[in-house]
């Protein structure tokens, strides 16, 4: 009988858990795409043709990976906004400039756009009350950050405006999805204790990720489209909130780390980059694999303030999603506490 393996973090394995999905776009004009980036590219092209959009203004603290490709479709600029800001940014957009307002880690978008057209990015908590309540002209989300899907992105109009029609999946996209589904399936088996070399699924995840980024804009896979509508999103959001409480309780009050009050994950802000490095190494030794969102050392756009670069070197993101029980998250909280004591 296989024994279950304990590890924490990194890529989401396959899930076959089902339930009713509560998604903010279903009753609104929307279309599904191959990835969050594909959704943004499709919207940018459409907005350029249809509404004369000239550029997108993105927050200075944002995912850099997607920007070089997005810049092929539309000019990019930045406005100053990061996850520690308390007051909303007032973004002055000129004619033709469209503001991308990101709900960073599922927190507030923190943008007062005035009369500008706003595209909200809900990738970190696509089924959140915040996404449901949105009154933005447009919204986008990647469907594979918070949800166990191999691919997928969505764009919708909270205001009920017309949006670009979706397209079918491309052949290149189909190959990428196959790689990612294989990776997710093998990781699931590995976590069950099956005899699968870790390298096998890690290589497939990496290849799949690379393949998703290649090729033209694609529609979503048939698999992700069907799977999306039967994900128990409400139950999973509740599980995440419980997990985050359990993590905080186990960590206890500390002066040497700040835990952001956001629903996506346990987002830690450490005092210094060296401490982040040491904590990360100690956690990896304990089979806990945190993420760094986002590295800003080689930004794709100019104008990143030094405080955001510094923050990007002190931040550590610990997953807290439906994969885990409060018991798992206590273990992670104790491991972080021990790592801080040792760092
Ligand atoms: C906030 C945010 N928006 C959009 C994207 C793009 O989504 P995808 O990776 O599905 O293309 C990402 C990640 O890459 C992201 O972190």
């Amino acid at each position: 009988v296989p024994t279950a393996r304990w590890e924490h973090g990194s890529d989401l394995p396959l899930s076959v858990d089902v339930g009713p999905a509560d998604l903010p776009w279903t009753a609104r004009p929307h279309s599904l795409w191959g990835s969050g980036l594909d959704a943004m590219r499709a919207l940018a092209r459409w907005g350029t043709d249809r509404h004369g959009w000239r550029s997108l203004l993105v927050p200075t603290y944002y995912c850099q990976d997607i920007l070089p490709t997005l810049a092929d479709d539309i000019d990019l600029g930045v406005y100053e906004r990061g996850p520690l800001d308390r007051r909303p940014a007032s973004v002055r957009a000129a004619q033709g400039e469209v503001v991308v307002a990101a709900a960073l880690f599922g927190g507030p978008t923190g943008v007062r756009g005035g009369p500008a057209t706003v595209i909200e990015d809900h990738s970190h908590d696509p089924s959140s009350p915040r996404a449901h309540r949105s009154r933005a002209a447009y919204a986008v989300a990647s469907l594979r950050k918070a949800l166990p899907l191999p691919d997928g992105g969505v764009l919708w109009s909270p205001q009920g405006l017309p949006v670009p029609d979706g397209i079918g999946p491309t052949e290149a996209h189909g190959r990428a999805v196959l790689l990612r589904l294989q990776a997710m399936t093998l990781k699931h088996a590995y976590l069950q204790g099956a005899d699968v070399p870790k390298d096998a699924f890690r290589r497939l995840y990496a290849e799949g990720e690379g393949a998703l980024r290649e090729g033209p804009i694609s529609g979503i896979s048939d698999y992700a489209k069907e799977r999306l509508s039967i994900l128990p999103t409400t139950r999973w959001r509740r599980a995440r909130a419980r997990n985050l409480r359990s993590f905080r309780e186990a960590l206890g009050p500390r002066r040497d780390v700040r835990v952001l009050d956001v629903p996506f994950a346990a987002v830690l802000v450490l005092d210094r980059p060296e401490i982040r490095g040491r904590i990360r190494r100690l956690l990896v030794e304990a089979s806990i694999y945190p993420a760094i969102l986002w590295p800003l050392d080689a930004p794709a756009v100019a104008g990143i303030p030094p405080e955001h670069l510094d923050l990007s070197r002190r931040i550590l993101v610990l997953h807290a999603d439906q994969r885990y029980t409060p018991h798992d998250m206590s273990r992670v909280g104790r491991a972080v506490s021990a790592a801080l004591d040792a760092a």
Side-chain angles (χ1 to χ4, degrees):
V1 182
T3 53
R5 287 189 173 101
W6 194 90
E7 67 165 53
H8 181 273
S10 197
D11 297 293
L12 286 147
L14 190 76
S15 161
V16 289
D17 194 359
V18 294
D22 179 28
L23 305 169
W25 50 85
T26 40
R28 304 205 167 89
H30 70 278
S31 47
L32 295 169
W33 300 86
S35 64
L37 175 58
D38 281 356
M40 293 177 95
R41 296 184 66 192
L43 184 57
R45 285 187 185 184
W46 180 84
T48 305
D49 288 349
R50 183 135 169 176
H51 298 296
W53 296 355
R54 287 188 293 105
S55 62
L56 297 184
L57 302 181
V58 301
T60 42
Y61 203 95
Y62 196 51
C63 175
Q64 299 295 302
D65 285 357
I66 60 174
L67 299 182
T69 308
L70 192 56
D72 289 342
D73 294 303
I74 193 163
D75 286 346
L76 298 177
V78 294
Y79 64 92
E80 196 164 329
R81 169 80 194 156
L84 303 186
D85 296 352
R86 289 179 194 282
R87 275 184 294 157
S90 270
V91 187
R92 262 184 277 282
Q95 183 73 27
E97 286 181 335
V98 172
V99 178
V100 176
L104 291 173
F105 308 125
T109 60
V111 167
R112 272 197 303 257
T117 300
V118 170
I119 303 171
E120 288 183 357
D121 181 343
H122 288 282
S123 297
H124 288 159
D125 201 359
S127 60
S128 63
R130 183 168 275 124
H132 278 277
R133 278 197 311 266
S134 170
R135 299 171 67 179
Y138 304 99
V140 294
S142 171
L143 297 174
R144 61 205 186 84
K145 308 291 171 210
L147 304 171
L149 296 175
D151 67 311
V154 60
L155 78 83
W156 77 100
S157 173
Q159 286 181 7
L161 305 172
V163 299
D165 291 333
I167 59 175
T170 63
E171 264 184 51
H173 187 74
R175 282 192 295 276
V177 171
L178 182 60
L179 288 164
R180 289 201 22 102
L181 259 182
Q182 293 174 74
M184 292 169 76
T185 308
L186 289 180
K187 181 167 182 181
H188 172 73
Y190 171 87
L191 292 173
Q192 300 290 301
D195 188 12
V196 176
K198 199 162 178 165
D199 261 6
F201 62 79
R202 293 199 62 199
R203 203 175 29 174
L204 286 162
Y205 273 113
E207 270 179 50
E209 195 61 38
L212 261 192
R213 289 290 182 238
E214 282 162 20
I217 297 178
S218 175
I220 195 169
S221 66
D222 290 341
Y223 170 79
K225 184 175 159 197
E226 294 306 326
R227 186 70 186 95
L228 177 62
S229 63
I230 51 167
L231 298 174
T233 54
T234 306
R235 172 152 54 80
W236 282 355
R237 286 196 82 254
R238 261 191 251 120
R240 210 158 10 111
R242 262 199 310 274
N243 284 343
L244 286 169
R245 280 198 296 277
S246 178
F247 171 84
R248 276 175 185 278
E249 275 168 30
L251 180 65
R254 299 198 65 115
R255 290 170 168 276
D256 48 0
V257 65
R258 177 168 165 198
V259 184
L260 300 190
D261 186 18
V262 289
F264 176 58
V267 180
L268 311 186
V269 180
L270 285 318
D271 291 340
R272 292 198 315 265
E274 309 81 72
I275 304 219
R276 199 266 305 263
R278 283 204 285 280
I279 303 281
R280 191 186 187 195
R281 276 192 297 280
L282 290 166
L283 291 176
V284 168
E285 281 170 22
S287 303
I288 295 167
Y289 305 105
I292 291 178
L293 303 183
W294 291 278
L296 296 177
D297 287 278
V301 281
I304 312 279
E307 308 87 79
H308 287 178
L309 176 59
D310 175 61
L311 175 63
S312 76
R313 293 171 172 161
R314 295 187 291 120
I315 210 160
L316 208 51
V317 177
L318 293 153
H319 307 74
D321 52 77
Q322 58 281 349
R323 283 177 276 182
Y324 305 113
T325 62
H327 185 75
D328 293 321
M329 293 311 294
S330 291
R331 180 167 168 173
V332 175
R334 287 195 305 273
V336 171
S337 175
L340 283 165
D341 290 340

